[in-house]
Amino acid sequence: MILDIHYKSENELEKNLSNFALHAFELDGVPCSCIEAPLQAFKNQGENFQRRICAMDPVKIHKIYKKAFDSDWKRTQRLFWKDKKIKRASVAYSVQLTRLFDSAFEQSETYRDALQASVGYELMHSVGKYDMYDTVLTIPEYLYHTYRLRSHFE
């Protein structure tokens, strides 16, 4: 059976595996409501601003992001974490994604529970993008980290 991971799914497990699912954790001491929050925070500079984004409801972040936040990361291909610049197509950003997913895994019991419940299912993410220059988390990156962390339960 296949799980198509996205937050608008009617399947609870697909929702709980989504970046938008509420799985509280901290990344470098910054409280995060879910995996999606720091991904959106990476698009803008300023630690205080990033802290506010990371604490927000993920659906609210997604709905208001394009209207409210001025980010030209797609043009510059520069992302930020705690005022450190990170090129999108870099080893440093890949390491940042690993740290993000590992932090969620280590600190969020609900995230681990969702991963464990998905054992035996094939995973897909049909609503994402493949172009790393157009998104802060591609489908292959997302699935790689999800499968990697889920392997702890197999």
Side-chain angles (χ1 to χ4, degrees), residues 131-148:
D131 184 356
M132 71 184 313
Y133 299 102
D134 193 39
T135 183
V136 292
L137 183 68
T138 65
I139 292 169
E141 288 167 333
Y142 176 73
L143 291 175
Y144 166 75
H145 288 290
T146 305
Y147 275 111
R148 177 179 66 82

Side-chain angles (χ1 to χ4, degrees), residues 11 22 27 42 63 93 100 115 128 131 134 138-139 144 149:
N11 179 304
L22 294 173
L27 179 61
F42 293 160
K63 284 182 179 179
Y93 188 68
L100 166 60
L115 288 166
D131 184 356
D134 193 39
T138 65
I139 292 169
Y144 166 75
L149 295 170

